[in-house]
Amino acid sequence: MKEIKAFVKPKRVQKVIEALSESGFKSMTISQGEGTGAFKAKGARPSLDFRITDSPVVKLELVCQNEEAQKAIDIIVENGKTMNPGDGIIYVSDIEDAFQIKTGKSIKRHEL
């Protein structure tokens, strides 16, 4: 299984979420954040919470089967890019397993 964390511009997140949902990625976690990178977005401003200049970002997290990861990445790239610097970044990491709290059952599809 793979965990995908994508940091995208707030103006693009709705398009990314809709495209992922239409392709079967129904479960995601979305949270707001502040990014500090080499590129300062046009709307970058001093943070009210931290002593930095920030650019608003949305962190989108989802976990999927290994064979689905590249499809999710492609969808995020296609729908999250603006052709301008600072569009965001995607991290992919391995997840050994995941369990539903209600049932205690693994959601990992084991290879046959």
Side-chain angles (χ1 to χ4, degrees), residues 34 45-52 54:
E34 298 178 10
R45 65 192 185 300
S47 172
L48 297 176
D49 299 318
F50 306 103
R51 293 180 180 217
I52 56 172
D54 77 327

Side-chain angles (χ1 to χ4, degrees), residues 30-44:
I30 311 296
S31 54
Q32 292 182 329
E34 298 178 10
T36 60
F39 175 76
K40 300 297 178 208
K42 193 172 187 177

Side-chain angles (χ1 to χ4, degrees), residues 10-81:
K11 290 180 180 178
R12 305 299 292 184
V13 72
Q14 187 66 38
K15 186 175 180 180
V16 170
I17 292 169
E18 288 174 2
L20 286 167
S21 295
E22 289 171 5
S23 295
F25 298 98
K26 303 291 184 186
S27 299
M28 298 167 241
T29 300
I30 311 296
S31 54
Q32 292 182 329
E34 298 178 10
T36 60
F39 175 76
K40 300 297 178 208
K42 193 172 187 177
R45 65 192 185 300
S47 172
L48 297 176
D49 299 318
F50 306 103
R51 293 180 180 217
I52 56 172
T53 300
D54 77 327
S55 299
V57 296
V58 174
K59 181 169 71 172
L60 183 153
E61 299 170 272
L62 66 92
V63 174
C64 61
Q65 305 299 322
N66 288 342
E67 64 274 13
E68 300 170 326
Q70 189 59 54
K71 181 179 179 182
I73 293 165
D74 292 345
I75 290 169
I76 294 167
V77 168
E78 180 180 329
N79 292 284
K81 68 182 171 186

